[in-house]
């Protein structure tokens, strides 16, 4: 069950003090007062330790425990502290995270974040209180004020901005304002997927809008300031240049864990697992109700060799594989950078797992074409962000040197890019770029 | 990291304590799934693999082998029916 797990999302409650209409936990009134008990938490930690003990595969032990909801701070600072102290006493290498709307921040919570070096993930809709009030039935949101409070305690945060048709035009301005005013290194901007209601109050953006209003400004900012501030774009660039420059990480010879979500086969139920307040393990919490497809089983369930949980994760990924095959994604060049869409959201929307042509395919094909056409110029700025050494030779001609631990260069794909070749500078191999 | 033999207290399947066991057999399972791409390449599924061990007492080991044999017989019948043999 937890043999491969490196991240557990702990849904300590599905109850929340807000009622954001885009949230995938629907009808939150059903969960009023729901809280994970300490006894259930102890069972989760015990199960993790048992599963790790029989694991003969992974050599590196790491665990990130993310308190999630609903709103996890509803559990109270005292109980959260009890949970964290217990977990740290049993698993010395454990790290903690929390995803919160930051409406319940208190000195006790801030002290807890400080003690365990927690950088809370916070949900923000924009810079202005009015933007955020959309989530609070028109009331003024305290989220920005509370980010300021956190900064006074010297606590950083990782904002998550939800992009929709209503705020897409201001998204880039919002990102820059948040970064400048709170000295935040980066923001994740996730786009809304309309999975339930046709008259959804946060309608989806079109692929072209996302490309024009979010991706392009991110790249322009990268080129101008040598900063990569949007996390999803950062992932796209990483996948793009890895695919072009290095030997394929996803080859059968190399076993890898890439991203959790933005990838053909997500790590839900394998590297990442979600546990609800009752101690039921789910492949992911984005499934609204505890659907049979995402339900791996109780933390108390028997699972010899971990084979039962493995087969459940495999069954889910087989459906994703069928969708990939049906769409012929294997022959799509943008497949190297594609997120392939969220299977939980797809199931909620269509009752099946599909890859959406209108949003997913259209967006990533556009991004791929842009990056391929501008690969050399973007690489020059991206190399600076990655601390790859650059040697300018003359105008529109430079060399990139990679760290010693970088994967081997892929000559075949490098030679396919116009103006790129593998060069030698003394004893060092480098990427030679002419544009 | 494998479970050290010295840390074991019982059969990990039936829970029978070590004092009632003559022989304990370590049975490891190494699972690894790969997606077969349209271009004929087996692609890693983002680390979808698992390697684990259970420690079986003589009784559990026998039951385990019996189950595997029954499974094997059943699949062989199916294979014959499909005309592969």
């Amino acid at each position: 069950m937890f043999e491969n797990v490196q991240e557990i999302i702990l849904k300590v409650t599905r109850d929340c003090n807000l009622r954001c209409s885009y949230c995938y936990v629907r009808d939150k009134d059903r969960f009023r007062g729901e809280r994970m008990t300490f006894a259930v938490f102890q069972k989760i930690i015990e199960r993790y330790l048992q599963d790790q003990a029989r694991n003969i595969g992974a050599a590196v032990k790491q665990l990130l425990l993310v308190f999630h909801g609903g709103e996890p701070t509803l559990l109270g600072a005292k109980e959260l502290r009890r949970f964290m102290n217990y977990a740290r006493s049993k698993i010395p290498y454990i790290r903690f995270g929390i995803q919160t709307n930051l409406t319940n921040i208190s000195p006790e919570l801030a002290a807890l974040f400080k003690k365990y070096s927690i950088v809370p993930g916070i949900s923000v809709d924009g810079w202005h209180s009015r933007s955020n009030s959309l989530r609070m039935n028109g009331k003024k949101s305290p989220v920005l004020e509370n980010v300021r409070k956190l900064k006074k305690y010297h606590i950083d945060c990782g904002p998550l901005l939800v992009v929709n048709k209503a705020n897409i035009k201001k998204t880039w301005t919002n990102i820059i304002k948040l970064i400048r005013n709170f000295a935040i290194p980066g923001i994740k901007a996730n786009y809304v997927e309309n999975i339930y209601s046709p008259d959804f109050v946060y309608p989806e953006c079109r692929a072209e809008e996302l490309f024009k209003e979010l991706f392009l400004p991110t790249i322009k900012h990268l080129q101008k300031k040598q900063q990569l501030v949007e996390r999803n774009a950062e992932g796209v660039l990483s996948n793009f240049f890895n695919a072009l420059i290095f030997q394929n990480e996803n080859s059968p010879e190399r076993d890898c864990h890439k991203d959790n979500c933005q990838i053909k086969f997500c790590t839900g139920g394998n590297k990442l697992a979600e546990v609800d307040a009752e101690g039921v393990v789910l492949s992911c919490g984005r499934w609204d109700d505890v659907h049979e497809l995402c339900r791996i089983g109780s933390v108390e369930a028997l699972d010899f060799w971990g084979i039962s949980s493995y087969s459940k994760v495999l069954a889910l990924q087989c459906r994703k594989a069928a969708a990939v095959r049906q769409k012929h994604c294997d022959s799509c060049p943008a497949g190297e950078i594609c997120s392939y869409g969220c299977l939980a959201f797809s199931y909620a929307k269509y009752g099946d797992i599909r890859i959406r042509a209108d949003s997913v395919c259209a967006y990533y094909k556009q991004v791929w074409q842009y990056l391929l056409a501008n690969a050399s110029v973007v690489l020059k700025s991206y190399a600076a962000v990655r601390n790859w050494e650059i040697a300018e030779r003359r105008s529109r001609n430079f060399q990139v040197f990679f760290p010693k631990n970088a994967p081997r260069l892929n000559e075949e794909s490098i030679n396919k890019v116009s103006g790129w070749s593998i060069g030698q500078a003394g004893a060092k191999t480098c990427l030679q770029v002419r544009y | 990291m494998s479970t050290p033999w010295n840390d074991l207290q019982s059969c990990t399947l039936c829970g029978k304590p070590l004092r009632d066991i003559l022989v304990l057999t370590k049975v490891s399972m190494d699972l690894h799934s790969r997606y077969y791409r349209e271009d004929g390449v087996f692609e890693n599924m983002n680390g979808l693999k698992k390697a684990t061990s259970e420690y079986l007492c003589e009784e559990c080991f026998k039951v385990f082998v019996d189950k595997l044999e029954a499974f094997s017989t059943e699949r062989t019948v199916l294979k014959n029916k499909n005309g592969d043999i």
Side-chain angles (χ1 to χ4, degrees), chain A residues 3-4 53-56 250 252 255-259 264-265 267 270 304-306 309-310 325 328 330, chain B residues 1-3 12 27 29 32-38 42-44 46-54:
Chain A
E3 292 86 353
N4 291 347
R54 68 175 172 187
N55 181 16
I56 54 170
N250 213 23
D255 293 326
C256 62
H257 282 311
K258 287 176 93 179
D259 202 342
K264 190 186 279 183
F265 300 107
T267 59
N270 186 30
F304 298 116
W305 292 279
S309 53
Y310 187 92
R325 178 63 56 85
H328 302 294
D330 298 336
Chain B
M1 191 173 71
S2 57
T3 302
T12 59
V27 183
M29 195 76 80
H32 191 170
S33 303
R34 285 175 179 171
Y35 165 63
Y36 187 63
R37 292 170 57 104
E38 273 184 299
F42 278 110
E43 184 179 302
N44 194 308
N46 206 17
L48 188 51
K49 57 190 292 193
K50 189 179 278 191
T52 50
S53 289
E54 298 287 349

Side-chain angles (χ1 to χ4, degrees), chain B:
Chain B
M1 191 173 71
S2 57
T3 302
W5 287 83
N6 289 343
D7 289 351
L8 291 165
Q9 304 292 321
S10 58
C11 166
T12 59
L13 251 74
C14 70
K16 191 193 283 180
L18 290 185
R19 64 174 176 276
D20 300 333
I21 295 172
L22 274 175
V23 175
L24 203 62
T25 304
K26 176 181 172 181
V27 183
S28 299
M29 195 76 80
D30 191 350
L31 307 162
H32 191 170
S33 303
R34 285 175 179 171
Y35 165 63
Y36 187 63
R37 292 170 57 104
E38 273 184 299
D39 54 12
V41 174
F42 278 110
E43 184 179 302
N44 194 308
M45 297 173 79
N46 206 17
L48 188 51
K49 57 190 292 193
K50 189 179 278 191
T52 50
S53 289
E54 298 287 349
Y55 295 80
L56 278 55
C57 65
E58 55 268 40
E59 199 179 321
C60 282
F61 186 71
K62 189 181 179 316
V63 174
F64 175 69
V65 172
D66 288 347
K67 293 274 181 197
L68 279 186
E69 282 177 348
F71 171 72
S72 176
T73 307
E74 183 202 313
R75 300 320 287 177
T76 307
V77 168
L78 189 68
K79 201 174 178 186
N80 289 336
K81 193 176 152 192
N82 288 337
D84 287 343
I85 291 176

